[in-house]
Amino acid sequence: MTALKAKTRAAVLQIAEWQLGVVEMPSGSNKVKYNTAYYGREVSGGAYAWCMAFVWWVFREAGFSLYKTASCTAFVNRYKTFAPSQVVTSYKPGDIVFFDFSGRRKKTEHVGIVVGVVGNTILTIEGNTGNGNDANGGAVMKRRRDVSLITCGVRPSYPDPA
């Protein structure tokens, strides 16, 4: 992966794509390599949901230094305060989007990386999702989401256009 550490949108998307199919082991444990990298040690248990750790890991592998937090809410608040021009409401591949599955767009309970936009839906790659649980499903998957579930997005400072 070192060859892709070019701080580009393409690198982020390729690294995220390479992670499809990774699952926590054992199931339901939150024990996964993204948490190990994030915390610097192996962790497991309900306190270690890893959707944000997955996003942090992907961007780190692509050469970016994102604000390091395991909290979707803390990440969004940081950007709203210190980089409001990077908070977006229209989405492009490589953007980081936050979901409120209640559809009320008030909380940030999950995160994904946009890989495509088609009308009112987006295609994302997400960590800690699953067919039975959108926000804590234990796998890295490609998901199709309605934009009505998105609270907001953050567009990292990419040197390349979308």
Side-chain angles (χ1 to χ4, degrees):
M1 282 192 235
T2 327
L4 282 179
K5 285 197 179 189
K7 289 189 181 181
T8 65
R9 181 184 318 271
V12 166
L13 295 172
Q14 182 66 63
I15 291 165
E17 186 87 21
W18 286 340
Q19 300 308 300
L20 290 171
V22 172
V23 296
E24 60 191 34
M25 292 298 268
S27 179
S29 68
N30 288 323
K31 187 175 174 185
V32 66
K33 69 181 182 178
Y34 316 110
N35 268 343
T36 301
Y38 180 85
Y39 292 100
R41 61 186 169 82
E42 218 172 68
V43 296
S44 65
Y48 298 102
W50 51 275
C51 62
M52 193 68 231
F54 168 74
V55 170
W56 170 83
W57 184 92
V58 167
F59 277 82
R60 185 195 68 169
E61 289 297 305
F64 287 87
S65 293
L66 286 184
Y67 174 61
K68 187 177 179 184
T69 179
S71 165
C72 293
T73 301
F75 188 89
V76 167
N77 289 342
R78 173 83 175 188
Y79 276 84
K80 283 182 175 178
T81 301
F82 296 107
S85 65
Q86 290 180 261
V87 178
V88 297
T89 55
S90 62
Y91 313 106
K92 297 179 179 181
D95 287 351
I96 303 165
V97 290
F98 297 86
F99 301 100
D100 176 352
F101 293 119
S102 75
R104 287 183 243 141
R105 296 184 177 192
K106 294 188 185 258
K107 56 187 172 178
T108 52
E109 62 184 312
H110 188 64
V111 63
I113 300 168
V114 176
V115 294
V117 181
V118 180
N120 286 334
T121 63
I122 61 165
L123 188 60
T124 57
I125 296 178
E126 303 169 18
N128 204 17
T129 191
N131 292 326
N133 188 329
D134 286 327
N136 192 16
V140 177
M141 298 176 69
K142 201 173 269 190
R143 304 299 302 264
R144 183 173 301 278
R145 307 276 190 199
D146 192 278
V147 294
S148 67
L149 300 175
I150 299 173
T151 305
C152 71
V154 169
R155 183 164 299 139
S157 297
Y158 290 113
D160 56 328

